Amino acid sequence: MLNYYLASMYEQLEKSIREKVKISAEEFELCKTFFIPKKLRKKQTLLLEGDVCTYNAFIEKGILRSYATDEKGNEHVIQFAFEGWWISDLASFLQGSNSTHTIEAIEDSELLLLTYTAREDLMSKLPVFETYQRILLQNAFIAFQSRVNAALNSSAEEKYLKLTSAYPDIIARVPQHMIASFLGLTPETLSRVRKQISLRR
Amino acid sequence: MLNYYLASMYEQLEKSIREKVKISAEEFELCKTFFIPKKLRKKQTLLLEGDVCTYNAFIEKGILRSYATDEKGNEHVIQFAFEGWWISDLASFLQGSNSTHTIEAIEDSELLLLTYTAREDLMSKLPVFETYQRILLQNAFIAFQSRVNAALNSSAEEKYLKLTSAYPDIIARVPQHMIASFLGLTPETLSRVRKQISLRR
DNA sequence: GGTAGATTAAGAAATGGTATTGATCTAAAT
DNA sequence: ATTTAGATCAATACCATTTCTTAATCTACC
C-alpha cells in the first residue's frame, strides 16, 4: 500500500519529464528527493498577492488558477493549470520580487513543490532537468504566443470556442465566471455568447 | 579597421550574454563561430509564412517584426524585436513545422543567425549557453504574461500608453499602423486614441 | 503628382455595466 | 441526518460605452 501511494504521488511528474527528455530510473529517484509534496483543499491558496513566490508547483492532481487583482478590485485569471502542468509566478519566483498574482486551488489538489534553491541544485546535479525546464519554457512560450494572438485578434465567441475545443473538460471543472475572466470577458458576455452558440445548434 | 568591424559585429550579442551568465573570453570566441552574420534591408524578409523557420536570429542592429496573416488577409503583428533581442518563429524552429509567421525588417538590420543544429551543438559544447537560452525564455515568458494581461484587460488607450512608456522610441521607429496591429487595434482607433491623449495635454 | 500612411466623421456592431431572478451549493443549528 | 439562511453562480433584460467599418480627405515624401 505504501509503495503504491508513493508511486502514484510522482506519477504525473515522471510522465511529464519522460515526455520531454531521457532519464534513468536512478536519476528520477534522485529527482524526487528535491520535491515537497503538498495538498491543497478547494479555495486554499499556494501564493498570496504581495508575497514572494517561493515555490514552483507541479500538479499531480486537481486544478489551480493564478489571478491578479486590478485597482477596481476585479480579478483577472492569468492561468489555469491541470494535472501534469506547472504553476507559479515566474517573475516573483525568479527575481524574488513581490508577487502580483494569487495562486489558488479550484479543486482539492495534490502538488509537488520545488523551491528556488532546490531547483538550482537539481539543475546543476542533473543537467537533463535543466533541459526539461528549458523545453517546458519553450512550450509555454509557444502557447502564450498563440494566446496573445487569440486575445488580440479573436472575437469573444472565437476565443471561447478555441479554449473549449482545446480543453473540453474545462467546462465541467472550472466555474464559468473564471473562464470568462481568463478570456477577458465579463460573465454576462460569456453567458450571452454561450446562448448564441446553443441557439445555432 | 577590420578588427573594429568584427568587434562591433558581435557587440550586442556579447552584452546580452554577459548580462545573464558568466562567460570567459575564450568561450565567447567559440560561441561566435556558431553564428552566421546576415544583413537585411528594410522590408526584406528573413522568414516567409509557410516555410520552415531554420534560424533563430539575434539582432545586432535594426528592428524586425513578425506577423501572421488571417483568412481575411489582415496582418497581425506578433512581435517587434530591437537591437539585442532575438526573433524567430519558435514553434516552427523547434518542431520543424511550417511557419505561420513572416519575419521582416522594419529598418536596415544586421543579424546573427543560429541554425537548429548550431544551437544544439553550442548548448552541448557550452552548457552556459543553454543556461543563457533558458534565462532568455524565462524573461520572454514573463514579458508575454504581462502582454496577455494587457491585451485582455486594458483599454486601447491603456495598451498604447503602456507600450510607449516601456519603449518610447518605438513611436519614431515603427509605423503607426504596425503599432496598432501589435496592440490589436485598427489604425483608425489608434489615431483617435492618440488624438484624445494629445487633447488632454 | 502618385501612393502609402494618417486623420476625421458617422453609423454599425460588439462588448460592458447594472439590476433582477432562479437555481444550486454550503455551512451552521437543530 | 435535516433544515434553513446565506452565499455563489448562471441567465437574462435593458441601456451605455467602446471599438469597428466604411469612406472621405489630408499629408508627406519618393
Side-chain angles (χ1 to χ4, degrees):
Chain A
M1 273 309 265
L2 183 62
N3 276 341
Y4 173 75
Y5 177 74
L6 287 175
S8 86
M9 192 60 146
Y10 295 88
E11 191 184 321
Q12 294 290 326
L13 180 63
E14 184 165 13
K15 192 175 146 212
S16 171
I17 295 178
R18 289 195 188 282
E19 274 171 15
K20 290 163 191 75
V21 294
K22 268 185 129 51
I23 186 170
S24 70
E26 293 73 32
E27 284 174 331
F28 183 68
E29 286 307 308
L30 173 65
C31 190
K32 277 156 67 169
T33 64
F34 287 81
F35 287 85
I36 304 163
K38 164 136 186 150
K39 295 194 181 193
L40 277 188
R41 294 212 163 267
K42 185 172 172 171
K43 295 204 178 170
Q44 284 186 316
T45 58
L46 178 66
L47 171 69
L48 278 176
E49 192 170 332
D51 292 350
V52 174
C53 179
T54 48
Y55 300 111
N56 230 333
F58 180 84
I59 303 167
E60 275 290 326
K61 190 165 174 303
I63 309 182
L64 282 78
R65 64 167 175 150
S66 69
Y67 64 88
T69 308
D70 69 17
E71 323 78 46
K72 295 174 203 143
N74 298 319
E75 290 178 7
H76 301 289
V77 175
I78 311 293
Q79 193 193 348
F80 294 118
F82 297 82
E83 291 89 0
W85 298 28
W86 290 81
I87 192 167
S88 74
D89 179 349
L90 258 201
S92 170
F93 180 80
L94 295 170
Q95 299 159 2
S97 53
N98 291 326
S99 175
T100 55
H101 302 166
T102 295
I103 300 179
E104 183 190 274
I106 294 179
E107 300 175 350
D108 294 353
S109 302
E110 296 174 17
L111 311 178
L112 296 170
L113 306 182
L114 198 57
T115 65
Y116 186 85
T117 51
R119 177 168 175 270
E120 292 286 322
D121 271 12
L122 184 46
M123 289 195 295
S124 71
K125 288 199 178 111
L126 216 59
V128 69
F129 191 80
E130 169 151 21
T131 303
Y132 167 67
Q133 290 277 309
R134 178 175 55 76
I135 293 174
L136 279 179
L137 276 165
Q138 286 173 356
N139 293 343
F141 184 84
I142 292 169
F144 254 84
Q145 223 168 35
S146 71
R147 186 167 169 217
V148 169
N149 196 40
L152 290 172
N153 307 121
S154 302
S155 66
E157 179 171 330
E158 285 166 343
K159 287 190 285 187
Y160 178 70
L161 290 175
K162 278 178 193 169
L163 178 69
T164 52
S165 70
Y167 308 103
D169 53 329
I170 202 175
I171 302 176
R173 294 177 72 185
V174 175
Q176 192 169 310
H177 70 275
M178 291 184 191
I179 296 179
S181 170
F182 180 78
L183 296 174
L185 304 173
T186 60
E188 295 85 352
T189 296
L190 180 54
S191 179
R192 284 185 285 260
V193 162
R194 283 165 48 85
K195 171 119 195 204
Q196 280 307 107
I197 294 170
S198 71
L199 286 179
R200 246 178 282 127
R201 293 263 157 80
Chain B
M1 274 307 267
L2 182 61
N3 276 342
Y4 174 74
Y5 177 73
L6 286 175
S8 86
M9 191 60 143
Y10 294 88
E11 191 184 322
Q12 294 289 326
L13 179 63
E14 182 164 14
K15 190 174 149 216
S16 171
I17 295 178
R18 288 195 189 283
E19 273 170 14
K20 288 162 193 74
V21 295
K22 268 187 128 56
I23 186 171
S24 71
E26 294 73 32
E27 284 173 330
F28 183 68
E29 286 306 308
L30 172 65
C31 190
K32 278 158 65 171
T33 66
F34 287 81
F35 287 85
I36 305 164
K38 164 137 185 149
K39 295 195 180 191
L40 278 188
R41 294 213 163 266
K42 185 173 173 170
K43 294 205 179 173
Q44 284 186 317
T45 56
L46 178 66
L47 171 70
L48 279 176
E49 193 171 332
D51 292 351
V52 173
C53 179
T54 49
Y55 300 111
N56 230 334
F58 180 84
I59 302 168
E60 275 290 326
K61 190 164 174 304
I63 309 182
L64 282 78
R65 65 165 174 150
S66 68
Y67 64 88
T69 309
D70 69 18
E71 322 80 45
K72 296 172 202 144
N74 299 319
E75 289 178 7
H76 301 288
V77 175
I78 311 292
Q79 193 193 346
F80 294 118
F82 297 81
E83 291 88 2
W85 298 26
W86 289 82
I87 191 167
S88 74
D89 180 348
L90 257 204
S92 169
F93 180 81
L94 295 169
Q95 299 159 4
S97 52
N98 291 325
S99 175
T100 54
H101 302 166
T102 295
I103 299 179
E104 183 189 273
I106 293 179
E107 301 176 348
D108 294 352
S109 302
E110 296 174 18
L111 311 178
L112 296 170
L113 305 182
L114 198 55
T115 65
Y116 186 85
T117 51
R119 177 168 175 270
E120 292 287 322
D121 271 13
L122 184 47
M123 288 194 296
S124 70
K125 290 201 177 109
L126 217 60
V128 69
F129 192 80
E130 170 151 23
T131 304
Y132 166 67
Q133 289 279 307
R134 177 175 55 75
I135 293 173
L136 279 179
L137 277 165
Q138 286 171 356
N139 293 343
F141 184 83
I142 292 169
F144 255 83
Q145 223 169 34
S146 72
R147 186 167 168 219
V148 168
N149 195 39
L152 290 171
N153 306 121
S154 302
S155 66
E157 178 171 330
E158 285 166 343
K159 286 189 285 187
Y160 179 70
L161 290 176
K162 278 178 193 169
L163 178 70
T164 53
S165 71
Y167 307 104
D169 54 330
I170 201 174
I171 301 176
R173 294 176 72 185
V174 175
Q176 191 169 311
H177 69 278
M178 292 186 192
I179 296 179
S181 171
F182 180 78
L183 296 174
L185 303 173
T186 60
E188 295 87 349
T189 296
L190 180 55
S191 177
R192 282 184 287 259
V193 162
R194 282 164 49 85
K195 172 121 195 205
Q196 279 307 106
I197 294 170
S198 71
L199 286 179
R200 245 177 283 128
R201 292 263 159 78

